Amino acid sequence: MARKLAAGNWKMNGTGEALGEIDALVAAHPAPICDVLICPPSTLLSRMSDRTNATKIATGGQDCHANSNGAHTGDISAQMIADAGGSFVIVGHSERRADHGETDADVATKAKAVWDANLIAVICVGETLAEREAGQTIDVVAGQLAGSIPDGATGANTVIAYEPVWAIGTGKVPTLDEIAAVHADIRARLSQRFGSHGTDMSILYGGSVKPSNADDIFAVPDVDGALVGGASLKADDFGGIISALERA
Ligand code: PEP
């Protein structure tokens, strides 16, 4: 069975005072019946992990280097994320692919580095608006899945996040039928390649998820949760999404 996961990506947002949102989230959701993850900027990871240590909230990184250490100024490794208390790492987010030119091969190498540190990789895929309008969504996502997920992926070491690039931070969301079509295709490909491990892998939807649309999105077959950007920054909003996932 795929785990139900509400994952927050704080991106390059938040300084120490934002940790108050974590305290508010824990107070409002002391024992969520779904998995909850927050990936803060790396400057906050250790402090956030200390705060969530005794709670059901997991923490993680937003990216990692493919190597475990070395002369890579400005980068952090999966081992460092583990040392700071993280248990997940997002790899292949569209902002990394676009801003840093990361390829599917780079993402696959990073996912292996995440596994080597005994952490869980959240591997992101998703089409641009031009690709959707050209009718290429399924082919683009299939190519990213094939190239970005290393052999050896299981439900225990990998989560997939389908995030249409045009829906991230825009308030635009695909129709429920469109989400259903992509998630069904992802599930079929994961099962074909990884057998029962593919059935066990969670597939998150990401792109402008809010408390007001979360119930509808979580009712779509093969949507096992969400990767949430903007709405994960405020305890009230992210809490509303957690509640919706608990109801699903
Ligand atoms: C994201 O960055 O992964 C994301 C889904 O952002 P938002 O929820 O703000 O669209």
Side-chain angles (χ1 to χ4, degrees):
M1 265 283 278
R3 74 174 87 212
K4 281 188 184 186
L5 174 63
N9 171 13
W10 279 20
K11 311 192 186 190
M12 199 173 71
N13 295 297
T15 52
E17 65 187 25
L19 293 169
E21 294 298 326
I22 295 301
D23 298 334
L25 189 67
V26 171
H29 298 268
I33 55 166
C34 59
D35 290 348
V36 178
L37 163 68
I38 300 186
C39 298
S42 50
T43 49
L44 288 181
L45 181 57
S46 179
R47 279 179 282 170
M48 187 182 286
S49 301
D50 286 347
R51 257 162 145 117
T52 56
N53 208 6
T55 75
K56 282 201 63 191
I57 298 178
T59 61
Q62 299 174 9
D63 176 54
C64 67
H65 196 275
N67 294 348
S68 56
N69 55 56
H72 304 289
T73 303
D75 282 314
I76 60 170
S77 70
Q79 275 79 2
M80 291 169 178
I81 290 168
D83 181 58
S87 41
F88 290 73
V89 186
I90 299 170
V91 291
H93 190 282
S94 62
E95 288 155 13
R96 299 289 316 175
R97 291 177 186 261
D99 297 352
H100 300 269
E102 292 187 7
T103 63
D104 290 334
D106 295 329
V107 176
T109 307
K110 289 182 177 203
K112 279 194 216 155
V114 173
W115 297 346
D116 286 345
N118 291 317
L119 304 183
I120 301 168
V122 180
I123 300 177
C124 302
V125 296
E127 82 286 1
T128 63
L129 185 58
E131 289 163 343
R132 174 158 286 268
E133 287 175 348
Q136 296 168 341
T137 297
I138 294 290
D139 287 346
V140 166
V141 171
Q144 291 173 328
L145 292 172
S148 305
I149 310 176
D151 290 338
T154 69
N157 65 20
T158 301
V159 170
I160 305 300
Y162 167 58
E163 300 203 302
V165 178
W166 52 274
I168 294 179
T170 58
K172 292 182 189 150
V173 181
T175 66
L176 298 177
D177 285 347
E178 287 169 338
I179 295 174
V182 179
H183 278 244
D185 191 74
I186 293 173
R187 176 68 70 209
R189 287 174 200 276
L190 294 178
S191 301
Q192 191 177 28
R193 180 170 166 201
F194 299 105
S196 63
H197 296 304
T199 318
D200 289 345
M201 262 175 243
S202 301
I203 308 173
L204 311 183
Y205 167 78
S208 297
V209 177
K210 304 181 281 269
S212 57
N213 60 18
D215 279 303
D216 288 343
I217 292 171
F218 294 150
V220 174
D222 285 313
V223 173
D224 303 307
L227 180 55
V228 184
S232 69
L233 293 168
K234 291 285 166 214
D236 279 355
D237 292 338
F238 197 46
I241 292 168
I242 292 169
S243 297
L245 190 56
E246 290 178 312
R247 284 192 292 272

